[in-house]
Amino acid sequence: MDVRVGDILTMKKNHPCGSSEMEVLRSGMDFRLRCVGCGREIMVPRVKIEKNIKKISRKESEDDR
């Protein structure tokens, strides 16, 4: 799965604050995510995150074109 730093992930389950969107701060074996709703940062194993992603939103930059 192609997940990059800066992507916004819409998850199947909500964070306890009620938001279902997470921003990717770091990717690798583990993901460092920031909740868009409350700003809390978490580290989660890649396997667990890939199962729970509903949608990936990516901001298009001029470098990606």
Side-chain angles (χ1 to χ4, degrees), residues 3-11 15-17 19-27 30-44 49 59:
V3 179
R4 301 179 192 164
V5 174
D7 289 353
I8 302 293
L9 307 177
T10 304
M11 309 303 284
H15 188 252
C17 73
S19 176
S20 63
E21 294 186 335
M22 298 280 186
E23 178 184 358
V24 179
L25 301 177
R26 192 192 116 186
S27 64
D30 296 324
F31 280 103
R32 182 174 214 66
L33 303 173
R34 178 183 295 138
C35 178
V36 174
C38 65
R40 180 160 304 229
E41 293 183 12
I42 56 172
M43 289 277 292
V44 187
I49 288 297
K59 296 175 187 168

